[in-house]
Amino acid sequence: MVVMKDDTNIVNLTGELEDNLEFSHEIFGEKFYNTKIKINRLSDSYDILPMTISERLLQELDFENNKIVTVSGQLRSYNKNVGEKNKLILTVFVREIKPKEEENKDPNSIFLDGYICKRPVYRKTPLGREITDLLVAINRPYNKSDYIPSIVWGRNAKFARNLKVGDRIQMWGRIQSRAYEKKIDESTVVKKVAYEVSVSKIKKIEEDENKNI
């Protein structure tokens, strides 16, 4: 199996675009905008995920009339200064976007090939469900890396808790948005949203496999 750098971070989404476009940044005269996409889950809930998209892709899309779209791209991260702290921000960097043409059985999928960069954290929910939290570094060109928080469940959590920093892994799953409340002080609670990869399949790449990739 040959894995190119561009193949180490693959996102495919199908969902409903939100109305607003917010200017993000400009590189070499090319403007990029932030928006969000709403993706239904199998249950009655849904995920609302942030996306960054070039004006050049928007020119090819009737944004007003084509609200249900199919998107392909990468899940990227960057650090943002919030007060005195650095905050890890995740966004789907869009490489292609088009009106949805057919039903997609899997409207939210991601594949990642990267390295464990923080010691796994194993825990159990109050109901006894096993969870392991991972932070995975995904390399991309120009000596940049994306740092992706990921959550592994059940028997995969048992496997993932034994991974070491520097281990190379491949993961398959979906990107999820998770609402939570953060207590600021005795009288103030702020509602926040976390983004992470919910892993359905995980594989460790052994050293002999690395030589062939």
Side-chain angles (χ1 to χ4, degrees):
M1 176 182 179
V2 177
V3 178
M4 304 298 290
K5 281 194 173 181
D6 282 354
D7 294 330
T8 59
N9 186 336
I10 302 171
V11 173
N12 290 291
L13 307 173
T14 299
E16 181 179 0
L17 285 176
E18 287 200 342
D19 287 330
N20 60 313
L21 279 174
E22 179 183 319
F23 176 75
S24 172
H25 61 281
E26 182 175 339
I27 300 178
F28 299 117
E30 183 177 4
K31 293 183 173 67
F32 292 84
Y33 292 86
N34 293 331
T35 187
K36 290 184 178 179
I37 185 171
K38 178 181 177 181
I39 305 166
N40 292 324
R41 296 187 185 179
L42 292 176
S43 58
D44 291 333
S45 59
Y46 52 83
D47 295 291
I48 297 179
L49 306 178
M51 300 197 306
T52 301
I53 182 170
S54 165
E55 62 179 345
R56 298 174 188 178
L57 293 177
L58 289 170
Q59 290 170 359
E60 301 173 3
L61 183 73
D62 184 348
F63 197 81
E64 294 299 320
N65 298 313
N66 291 322
K67 290 297 185 184
I68 309 298
V69 296
T70 296
V71 170
S72 61
Q74 297 180 325
L75 183 59
R76 294 188 177 178
S77 73
Y78 63 93
N79 284 315
K80 182 178 181 181
N81 289 324
V82 180
E84 297 180 353
K85 296 182 179 179
N86 274 335
K87 183 178 180 182
L88 186 71
I89 305 294
L90 296 184
T91 185
V92 174
F93 182 81
V94 178
R95 287 184 156 178
E96 184 180 9
I97 183 169
K98 58 185 179 181
K100 187 186 80 166
E101 297 173 349
E102 57 187 34
E103 284 301 317
N104 188 343
K105 293 181 180 179
D106 191 0
N108 182 345
S109 68
I110 183 170
F111 166 75
L112 297 172
D113 182 334
Y115 299 86
I116 301 293
C117 59
K118 187 178 179 181
R119 186 176 65 84
V121 177
Y122 174 81
R123 56 193 169 92
K124 285 187 178 181
T125 68
L127 296 176
R129 193 173 188 190
E130 295 173 286
I131 297 172
T132 296
D133 295 304
L134 301 176
L135 186 65
V136 183
I138 313 298
N139 296 332
R140 57 179 159 106
Y142 308 110
N143 294 319
K144 293 186 177 181
S145 297
D146 296 297
Y147 297 91
I148 311 298
S150 306
I151 187 166
V152 188
W153 309 85
R155 61 185 176 82
N156 286 331
K158 282 186 169 69
F159 167 79
R161 70 179 177 180
N162 295 316
L163 292 169
K164 305 279 193 303
V165 172
D167 282 347
R168 181 177 177 180
I169 60 168
Q170 292 180 340
M171 306 189 304
W172 295 257
R174 64 179 177 83
I175 310 170
Q176 68 180 14
S177 58
R178 175 172 53 83
Y180 68 98
E181 294 184 343
K182 182 176 181 180
K183 188 175 181 180
I184 304 300
D185 53 43
E186 291 299 322
S187 60
T188 307
V189 175
V190 179
K191 292 184 177 180
K192 292 182 171 287
V193 178
Y195 302 103
E196 61 204 0
V197 171
S198 178
V199 178
S200 58
K201 181 181 173 185
I202 184 169
K203 174 185 178 182
K204 180 181 176 183
I205 304 298
E206 302 296 343
E207 288 187 18
D208 57 338
E209 290 184 74
N210 270 312
K211 293 176 183 177
N212 296 322
I213 292 179

